[in-house]
Amino acid sequence: MAGRGRAGFRSTEHAWLITGPMAFLAVVCSTIVGLVAPEPFGDWPLASALLLAMVAAGLPVLNFTVRRQSVGVTLTEIPLVLAFYLVRPLTVVTIYTLAAVITHLRHRFGATKFWFNVARAAAGSSLAVLVLQALPPVQGVGPGAWLSLFAAASMVNLVSIISVAGVHSLLQGWQAGREAFRTYPPALLAAAINIASGIVVLILIETTWWSLLLLAALVAALALVYRSYAQFFRQHRTLTDMYELSRAVAGSGQDGTLVDALLGRVRALMQAEYATLWLPEQGRHPEVLLTARNDQPGLLDVARTPAALRQRARDKGRTVAVGRGVTTDAELRADLSAERVKDAIVIPLRSGQAVIGTLEVANRLGDSNYFVRNDIPLFETVGAQAAVALENSRLVDRLRHDAYHDTLTRLPNRRRIIGALDESFKIRLPGEVVALLLFDVDGLRQVNESLGHAAGDKVLVEVANRLRASAPSSALVGRVGGDEFLVTLRLENADAALELAGQLRDQIRDEMVFDALTLDVNTAVGVAVHPDHGSDAATLLLRVDLAANAAKSMPGSVQLFNPGLESRSLRRLGLAGDLRQALDQNELEVYFQPKVTLRDRRLVGVECLARWEHPTHGTVAPEDFVAVAAHTGQLSRLTEVVLREGLRRSRDWAEANQPLPIAVNLAARTLTDQHFPDRVQELLTEYGVPAQRLTLEITESGVLDGTDRPIPTLRRLRDLGVRLSVDDFGTGDSSLAHLRRLPVHEVKVDRSFVQGMATDPGDLAIVNAVVTLSQQFGLAVVAEGVESELTLELLQDIGCEIGQGFLFSRPLPYERLAAWFGAQADPETISGGELPRLRVVP
């Protein structure tokens, strides 16, 4: 028993506090009997026979376990009743005490327990004979004698009950003593039957000693009945414990208390001091080593059984049993003795043919009790049930984990994140916000289409790993969509969230190398915070998604949510149906913006731009309805509307002896349509416009996405004779060297660099580098956003050939473009099909 460090438990040495008073009681009672009895000693030959009968009757036929102690039900009351009647009082005390000494020496009890049981026998028998002396003398075997003998024998059982309950209360607390009292009713019933049987035997002996022959047969039959009852009792108890075990395992499989319930029930079923479960590490499940100990709440993370037994059971896949009653293997028993364990059974737990762990019991309760071979099949049955329960528990845990985690990246999914956000919103801390950072991976669709979904999955896994490694330890990192990752944590304010978003984005932007392939992956980051931008998870996720979409068109690609984004998104949503109707009814207009040579200001073409005047919302920004068209599958129709109108006007200008090239913008998604070049050919043929008079402009991110996906379509368009232009060059992450492998004819420098030339030396250097290298590659250069004479002069100085911008003209409808021609063109140049030259604008 544990001593120090465990409140309510004491060392077994404290049992002397009970043993001593009982010994004193035995001495006092015996002394009184010796003084009052006329002949306290005598009848030794008969007493010797009764002593042998007491020793034989002392063999337990029924056992009860109270805490760590075993209580045996014997037949000693029968010879004890005979001794009370046939021999002198102190002779009864002597032979009953000697029978206890012999019996407990045979069991090899420790000194403390040995002397406790001897003192208990002496105290009980001495008190019993004292009671007999106090009662009227026993005359014959009539009812009076029955009551006297029953009272005397009951004193022995009373002293036994009080002493055992007392020692349990002293050593292990009053709960143990109360449990001992609860365990004794069956034993008292058996004792009462034994006393009655002893009185019957006494009556028979008094009638004739020949009845001993019949009594011998009766005793043998009674012993068999007791054995049968004991076996029935054990089976009943085993079935009850198995039923309780099944109920406990079934009821605890869903709430995470399976191991606790399992080990506690197994320990009680096998009447063991220790029950241990060992499950080695498996997948994401760590190693489990837990032990339930008798009389100790909770579980220990240590085991008394040697690890060698556990490993042997796992390696060989069969039960390992060690102890006096199950094996004679000296080596294994030596291993147990080193750990102060008298016996143990270790069984492998199986899932199919695989061993997933072991279940162990050690130290059968009761100093004289040991595990026997019949315990092994029972324990193996329990182990089979435990293995199924553990596998089911792990399966439920795996299903629960899969329900809340992404299978590819192993990150929490949207459902898990929503639950975590709802919990975090319940805690409001002054000076802190709950920040949501949504990372939208750009270009994943292009990677999937050009390199396959396996490559796209690698990109997602790498992004997940980088976010997990770079995010603060307090952050929850999850995947909420196909190419969207969310990081949520508590921060000081929205500014801290924006700063963290930028840092994490920089970590993700580093080159990703997969075998021989190197990819540059960019992300747009939306930021929203609670409670400023919403009070619930659904609202915050919606708004951070709006911010991420807006970030795609922002310098730096990081955007904090603001109410304007939501109103714009709602407006776009409402425009989806209206756009379809506008396309059906030809309500969209095509405007034209001139492209002019910078040296002599000759008109060299126009760019066709779609415009939409909504009857309710007024002018709709092109980026809004183009985004709506892309999300609703109407982008191809929109492109064809602009292309048709541009080709029709180009044909009209050619018929008026003023052939004018046109340029039409294409979305990156259009290049994935393998039928698009054929459609362009059909339209050129339909309107009779030479292919070289058509320029198709594709944004830099559309043609330079790090893959070869757009190249086949570009080559087919080039083979038709169509001119190809890279629009908004400089806003992406590609280099000029990438242009060499593309079948393009022209580069358009983005307006953000052109407009900054006059004030920012860096922008001037960028435009100069683009112009110089493009010319070396044989590419024409168009400068967008020319709005001042100073910018015009700088462009002329660095050798840029063509420009367009408000300095020359805004985008104009067809009718106003004709008037602009008349007002701006030099009449001397409008002849013989020559491109008109514009007057110098003052």
Side-chain angles (χ1 to χ4, degrees):
M1 293 183 184
R4 300 178 184 273
R6 293 185 59 197
F9 287 74
R10 297 179 180 177
S11 169
T12 54
E13 296 300 323
H14 287 82
W16 289 103
L17 297 175
I18 303 295
T19 304
M22 285 194 301
F24 179 75
L25 175 64
V27 172
V28 171
C29 292
S30 297
T31 301
I32 295 174
V33 170
L35 294 175
V36 300
E39 295 184 41
F41 291 100
D43 304 319
W44 292 109
L46 182 57
S48 300
L50 291 174
L51 172 62
L52 295 177
M54 288 181 182
V55 172
L59 298 174
V61 295
L62 196 61
N63 284 299
F64 299 92
T65 300
V66 182
R67 298 289 174 122
R68 295 187 60 189
Q69 306 302 323
S70 177
V71 179
V73 176
T74 65
L75 301 176
T76 53
E77 288 85 358
I78 295 176
L80 181 62
V81 168
L82 297 177
F84 284 148
Y85 185 83
L86 298 174
V87 298
R88 303 302 178 183
L90 291 186
T91 304
V92 175
V93 175
T94 302
I95 62 174
Y96 191 74
T97 304
L98 284 175
V101 170
I102 295 171
T103 299
H104 293 96
L105 282 176
R106 181 172 58 84
H107 290 314
R108 299 179 182 178
F109 287 160
T112 302
K113 188 170 184 179
F114 172 80
W115 289 113
F116 168 80
N117 285 297
V118 171
R120 182 182 65 172
S125 59
S126 61
L127 180 61
V129 295
L130 180 61
V131 169
L132 275 179
Q133 293 299 314
L135 293 174
V138 177
Q139 299 291 335
V141 288
W146 301 350
L147 293 176
S148 297
L149 294 174
F150 195 92
S154 296
M155 288 299 103
V156 177
N157 287 302
L158 180 62
V159 169
S160 179
I161 293 173
I162 294 175
S163 60
V164 171
V167 78
H168 280 297
S169 299
L170 176 66
L171 300 183
Q172 301 173 1
W174 64 269
Q175 295 91 344
R178 185 177 64 179
E179 186 175 338
F181 275 116
R182 290 178 176 177
T183 309
Y184 263 102
L188 290 176
L189 176 61
I193 295 174
N194 290 339
I195 294 172
S197 299
I199 294 173
V200 172
V201 171
L202 178 61
I203 294 172
L204 293 175
I205 292 176
E206 280 293 300
T207 303
T208 174
W209 283 93
W210 287 104
S211 62
L212 289 177
L213 297 177
L214 296 177
L215 288 176
L218 180 62
V219 169
L222 187 61
L224 291 177
V225 170
Y226 265 73
R227 290 290 182 181
S228 299
Y229 173 75
Q231 183 179 5
F232 169 78
F233 182 81
R234 284 193 298 269
Q235 291 175 347
H236 175 74
R237 186 188 61 193
T238 299
L239 290 175
T240 301
D241 290 344
M242 287 289 291
Y243 174 70
E244 294 295 334
L245 173 63
S246 300
R247 288 187 58 188
V249 168
S252 60
Q254 305 297 326
D255 57 10
T257 61
L258 173 62
V259 176
D260 202 338
L262 173 67
L263 291 180
R265 300 288 178 176
V266 167
R267 190 207 55 72
L269 174 65
M270 299 300 296
Q271 299 182 31
E273 183 180 1
Y274 300 98
T276 300
L277 173 69
W278 175 64
L279 299 174
E281 181 180 1
Q282 180 182 7
R284 65 180 187 86
H285 297 285
E287 181 183 15
V288 174
L289 180 62
L290 295 172
T291 298
R293 180 179 177 180
N294 186 53
D295 292 335
Q296 181 163 344
L299 299 177
L300 308 175
D301 58 355
V302 295
R304 290 297 300 271
T305 50
L309 271 67
R310 192 175 305 119
Q311 196 62 43
R312 183 171 180 176
R314 182 189 183 188
D315 294 342
K316 294 188 176 182
R318 63 172 182 263
T319 301
V320 176
V322 186
R324 180 188 298 181
V326 289
T327 185
T328 57
D329 191 318
E331 181 180 353
L332 294 179
R333 295 182 67 175
D335 291 339
L336 282 190
S337 299
E339 298 292 335
R340 292 188 174 182
V341 177
K342 65 178 182 178
D343 53 359
I345 302 177
V346 182
I347 61 171
L349 300 178
R350 295 181 179 277
S351 176
Q353 297 299 319
V355 176
I356 63 173
T358 61
L359 187 63
E360 312 159 18
V361 287
N363 276 1
R364 190 69 176 266
L365 292 177
D367 295 336
S368 60
N369 293 336
Y370 295 87
F371 294 121
V372 296
R373 295 191 180 277
N374 290 338
D375 293 322
I376 296 177
L378 173 63
F379 193 34
E380 289 177 341
T381 302
V382 173
Q385 183 177 357
V388 173
L390 289 168
E391 276 296 281
N392 289 341
S393 177
R394 284 193 168 183
L395 176 60
V396 170
D397 180 68
R398 191 179 306 117
L399 292 175
R400 185 182 293 113
H401 179 274
D402 292 344
Y404 288 97
H405 289 78
D406 173 53
T407 56
L408 176 64
T409 63
R410 299 298 178 185
L411 293 177
N413 59 16
R414 177 181 289 270
R415 180 186 298 177
R416 172 70 179 88
I417 290 173
I418 289 177
L421 289 174
D422 287 336
E423 290 298 321
S424 64
F425 294 165
K426 295 177 181 178
I427 304 175
R428 300 288 295 273
L429 299 178
E432 285 190 354
V433 298
V434 179
L436 280 72
L437 285 58
L438 183 66
F439 293 79
D440 192 326
V441 181
D442 289 341
L444 183 65
R445 179 174 180 178
Q446 289 85 344
V447 174
N448 287 334
E449 292 176 349
S450 57
L451 302 177
H453 287 275
D457 289 345
K458 290 182 179 180
V459 171
L460 292 174
V461 171
E462 180 63 21
V463 171
N465 292 338
R466 292 187 180 186
L467 276 177
R468 193 159 32 198
S470 304
S473 58
S474 59
L476 175 64
V477 181
R479 183 186 178 197
V480 295
D483 56 358
E484 294 179 339
F485 295 85
L486 187 76
V487 176
T488 177
L489 73 166
R490 291 185 177 274
L491 292 172
E492 295 82 4
N493 48 47
D495 292 337
L498 286 172
E499 181 180 356
L500 177 62
Q503 295 172 358
L504 295 179
R505 179 176 178 270
D506 291 340
Q507 294 293 329
I508 298 175
R509 290 183 65 190
D510 289 344
E511 288 185 343
M512 296 184 183
V513 179
F514 304 104
D515 298 328
L517 181 65
T518 300
L519 296 179
D520 292 325
V521 177
N522 194 13
T523 56
V525 190
V527 180
V529 298
H530 168 82
D532 298 349
H533 301 145
S535 58
D536 61 272
T539 301
L540 265 294
L541 287 173
L542 173 63
R543 291 176 174 175
V544 77
D545 188 59
L546 294 175
N549 288 331
K552 295 178 182 180
S553 57
M554 291 286 297
S557 297
V558 178
Q559 173 67 52
L560 179 67
F561 173 80
N562 62 75
L565 298 177
E566 190 167 38
S567 60
R568 184 174 183 182
S569 176
L570 291 174
R571 185 186 182 199
R572 285 185 176 181
L573 183 62
L575 290 175
D578 296 340
L579 178 61
R580 183 176 289 105
Q581 182 178 357
L583 290 172
D584 292 339
Q585 299 179 3
N586 297 320
E587 294 179 358
L588 268 66
E589 293 187 74
V590 177
Y591 281 40
F592 305 91
Q593 185 173 28
K595 298 166 68 174
V596 179
T597 59
L598 300 180
R599 288 292 178 189
D600 52 10
R601 302 201 181 192
R602 290 186 180 275
L603 185 65
V604 295
V606 293
E607 181 178 359
C608 304
L609 302 168
R611 294 294 184 265
W612 184 18
E613 191 71 20
H614 194 278
T616 303
H617 300 294
T619 301
V620 181
E623 57 268 24
D624 285 342
F625 67 79
V626 170
V628 170
H631 282 86
T632 58
Q634 303 180 78
L635 191 59
S636 59
R637 290 189 62 194
L638 177 61
T639 302
E640 184 169 338
V641 166
V642 178
L643 190 56
R644 279 184 174 277
E645 181 65 12
L647 291 175
R648 185 168 71 88
R649 297 305 181 184
S650 180
R651 181 190 61 187
D652 296 344
W653 289 323
E655 292 175 352
N657 204 25
Q658 293 181 359
L660 193 62
I662 64 169
V664 175
N665 291 299
L666 293 183
R669 187 177 301 178
T670 305
L671 296 179
T672 64
D673 183 3
Q674 59 181 346
H675 302 295
F676 179 72
D678 297 332
R679 187 58 179 155
V680 171
Q681 178 64 62
E682 293 173 0
L683 293 175
L684 290 171
T685 303
E686 178 181 347
Y687 289 97
V689 176
Q692 63 272 17
R693 207 173 289 170
L694 172 64
T695 300
L696 297 176
E697 298 182 359
I698 308 99
T699 59
E700 177 188 5
S701 60
V703 294
L704 298 174
D705 59 357
T707 71
D708 295 332
R709 179 190 54 82
I711 293 180
T713 303
L714 293 176
R715 286 176 175 167
R716 291 181 60 193
L717 292 171
R718 182 196 60 183
D719 293 341
L720 294 178
V722 174
R723 289 175 54 82
L724 301 173
S725 176
V726 179
D727 197 9
D728 299 334
F729 191 83
T731 58
D733 297 325
S734 55
S735 66
L736 286 167
H738 291 160
L739 293 174
R740 300 183 61 183
R741 62 187 182 91
L742 295 177
V744 298
H745 306 84
E746 178 183 279
V747 174
K748 297 186 72 173
V749 185
D750 187 69
R751 67 179 67 250
S752 61
F753 299 108
V754 174
Q755 292 175 350
M757 290 174 58
T759 57
D760 189 340
D763 288 343
L764 178 60
I766 291 174
V767 176
N768 188 18
V770 172
V771 171
T772 302
L773 290 178
S774 296
Q775 290 175 348
Q776 290 181 0
F777 295 155
L779 302 176
V781 181
V782 179
E784 296 183 295
V786 182
E787 298 182 358
S788 68
E789 290 290 344
L790 178 57
T791 301
L792 176 63
E793 293 175 2
L794 292 173
L795 289 170
Q796 290 175 342
D797 291 342
I798 63 178
C800 184
E801 302 169 351
I802 304 171
Q804 68 181 91
F806 291 174
L807 178 64
F808 309 114
S809 174
R810 294 176 178 273
L812 301 171
Y814 177 75
E815 294 78 10
R816 291 183 57 189
L817 182 65
W820 182 85
F821 282 165
Q824 301 294 332
D826 188 345
E828 297 179 359
T829 64
I830 307 176
S831 62
E834 182 182 5
L835 292 174
R837 186 173 64 229
L838 306 182
R839 295 193 183 99
V840 176
V841 180

